[in-house]
Amino acid sequence: MEPGNNTRVSEFLLLRFSEDPELQPFIFELFLSMYLVTVLGNLLIILATISDSHLHTPMYFFLSNLSFVDICFTSTTIPKMLVNIQTQSKAITYIGCITQMCFFLIFGELDNFLLAVMAYDRFVAICHPLHYTAIMTPQLCGLLVLVCWILSVLHALLQSLMVLRLSFCTNFKIPHFFCELNQVVQLACSHTFLNDVVMYFTVLLLASIALAGVLFSYSKIVSSICAISSAQGRYKAFSTCASHLSIVSLFYCTGLGVYLSSAVTPNSHFTATASVMYTVVTPMLNPFIYSLRNKDIKNSLKSLFGGNL
């Protein structure tokens, strides 16, 4: 059907997690709890890194940026879902849907790039410890974060503009709890071949570049750790990147799993459920993984709250 014969949709309906009315109170309380824990946990990480001068290092600079992005990432989807549950509504406006999708892509890609940048930081710290401060200067750290933002915003704008060219006829029901790019594209009644090519090519390209950077960094890190003679030295070197490696594994396994599964079964219940892992669970776990395994963060939080933690 040609775009000129279609009417402009005014709103979409978000259907996932709204099928059973009896489960609504439980789902509301569950997601509200996870959202509050995510915001509070990541705010504590940011507060600790800002208030403690001992944490004014590249690693914690990137960590505070990651925590900020995780708060924004979760805030693009969960508050709207909670409002819809509370008001017994499934609707989201067309503009609201495109806006949500755009910001979701921005912060999702920022997570992707920041994890790669943090892997590079650990590579320099472990493989080139004597030159670490000379390499990871504040200027370079700021530039790396800026590049992450620029690439993420450009990618999100590209995908959003590609969706704006589509026309929607009668099917306005999104089988998801937020306006996920692939789900929105699948609803269009105009040709989506170009959208599909651009969507999967850019997502896989950017994810592959970041993942390649992570794998390269950790291959060098593993080689350097294996070359350390003492077991205590190997353990100390590995402990500096264990938290980051845990988050990387969780983020990429769940994120790539969702996109690969959506390519095979676009409207599956598994896709929406798995999306909860990398949109809600992973940002919620990040502060716990870093604070529980990191003495510097724990000491900073203890001093911040007068040793009551």
Side-chain angles (χ1 to χ4, degrees), residues 27-281:
I27 293 175
F28 179 85
E29 293 175 3
L30 176 63
F31 278 87
L32 177 61
S33 300
M34 290 193 294
Y35 178 67
L36 292 178
V37 170
T38 300
V39 173
L40 179 60
N42 283 288
L43 279 177
L44 286 176
I45 295 292
I46 296 173
L47 187 60
T49 56
I50 292 176
S51 62
D52 192 341
S53 60
H54 295 95
L55 300 184
H56 293 174
T57 62
M59 181 176 73
Y60 295 109
F61 171 73
F62 295 132
L63 177 59
S64 61
N65 275 273
L66 181 67
S67 295
F68 171 75
V69 169
D70 280 340
I71 293 174
C72 297
F73 187 45
T74 309
S75 298
T76 60
T77 58
I78 302 304
K80 176 59 180 175
M81 188 188 73
L82 295 176
V83 169
N84 281 8
I85 292 176
Q86 193 68 14
T87 59
Q88 298 297 308
S89 171
K90 303 176 183 178
I92 182 172
T93 64
Y94 175 80
I95 297 299
C97 185
I98 299 299
T99 302
Q100 184 186 67
M101 183 183 64
C102 182
F103 280 103
F104 180 83
L105 289 170
I106 289 175
F107 296 119
E109 285 300 336
L110 273 169
D111 256 340
N112 180 40
F113 288 130
L114 283 174
L115 289 174
V117 169
M118 293 172 73
Y120 173 72
D121 173 70
R122 293 299 84 206
F123 157 70
V124 177
I126 294 175
C127 299
H128 305 284
L130 299 179
H131 304 285
Y132 179 73
T133 55
I135 297 175
M136 300 303 296
T137 61
Q139 293 77 13
L140 178 62
C141 294
L143 179 62
L144 289 173
V145 172
L146 178 62
V147 170
C148 291
W149 272 95
I150 292 174
L151 291 176
S152 300
V153 170
L154 289 178
H155 172 243
L157 288 177
L158 170 64
Q159 298 290 7
S160 300
L161 291 174
M162 292 294 293
V163 172
L164 287 174
R165 60 180 288 275
L166 297 176
S167 297
F168 301 88
C169 304
T170 57
N171 185 13
F172 307 143
K173 298 178 180 179
I174 301 175
H176 218 305
F177 66 93
F178 66 96
C179 290
E180 197 267 335
L181 174 62
N182 182 58
Q183 300 288 350
V184 174
V185 171
Q186 296 299 322
L187 297 182
C189 56
S190 52
H191 297 295
T192 63
F193 175 76
L194 182 59
N195 289 74
D196 291 334
V197 171
V198 172
M199 175 174 59
Y200 286 109
F201 176 77
T202 54
V203 169
L204 290 176
L205 176 64
L206 295 177
S208 298
I209 291 174
L211 184 58
V214 171
L215 293 176
F216 172 80
S217 297
Y218 274 103
S219 66
K220 296 295 185 180
I221 289 173
V222 170
S223 299
S224 296
I225 291 177
C226 291
I228 298 175
S229 57
S230 67
Q232 184 179 0
R234 287 195 297 269
Y235 174 78
K236 184 178 179 181
F238 177 76
S239 63
T240 62
C241 56
S243 299
H244 177 258
L245 188 58
S246 301
I247 293 175
V248 166
S249 302
L250 188 61
F251 179 82
Y252 282 110
C253 289
T254 55
L256 291 178
V258 167
Y259 276 95
L260 291 177
S261 66
S262 65
V264 179
T265 53
N267 296 326
S268 68
H269 179 78
F270 170 79
T271 299
T273 305
S275 296
V276 176
M277 287 299 297
Y278 81 97
T279 59
V280 184
V281 177

